[in-house]
Amino acid sequence: IEIERDHCRSRIRHALGIAKIEALSDRQYRLLENALEKLFARKSHWKITDKEIFGQYEIVTEHISTLSMERAVEEYHKRQKMN
């Protein structure tokens, strides 16, 4: 099982690159982690392609939780605390 997890981590790093992974917000990271767990549960990790991994990344970062939206929500919460 540990070999499979290491392989999955390696595949994700290869498909996305360290820079993209490190640029994720905490929320995006959690969302991507959940999406990838579902992907790896549905399909053998040996058969998952880099495009499928990158597709999950794009769904999270461009559709579900963009950084601009996260910043706007964060600013909103800051203003609410000040009032």
Side-chain angles (χ1 to χ4, degrees):
I1 293 177
E2 192 59 36
I3 292 171
E4 290 178 5
R5 287 185 189 159
D6 287 343
H7 181 257
C8 294
R9 287 186 204 111
S10 296
R11 292 289 314 283
I12 293 165
R13 282 192 300 271
H14 174 72
L16 300 179
I18 299 298
K20 280 186 174 50
I21 295 169
E22 289 178 349
L24 293 169
S25 70
D26 291 341
R27 183 171 194 274
Q28 287 174 324
Y29 187 89
R30 286 190 310 273
L31 289 167
L32 181 59
E33 188 175 50
N34 290 339
L36 291 173
E37 282 179 11
K38 289 176 184 174
L39 175 63
F40 282 94
R42 283 193 317 266
K43 190 173 179 181
S44 166
H45 66 280
W46 300 106
K47 294 182 179 182
I48 293 172
T49 66
D50 290 351
K51 286 183 179 184
E52 288 174 298
I53 294 169
F54 192 76
Q56 294 301 307
Y57 169 84
E58 285 184 325
I59 289 169
V60 168
T61 61
E62 295 178 16
H63 301 284
I64 296 175
S65 184
T66 63
L67 284 178
S68 60
M69 179 59 80
E70 287 194 22
R71 286 187 202 113
V73 170
E74 191 174 294
E75 288 299 317
Y76 172 79
H77 287 298
K78 282 181 186 176
R79 278 185 260 139
Q80 292 300 315
K81 287 180 183 178
M82 292 169 52
N83 291 334

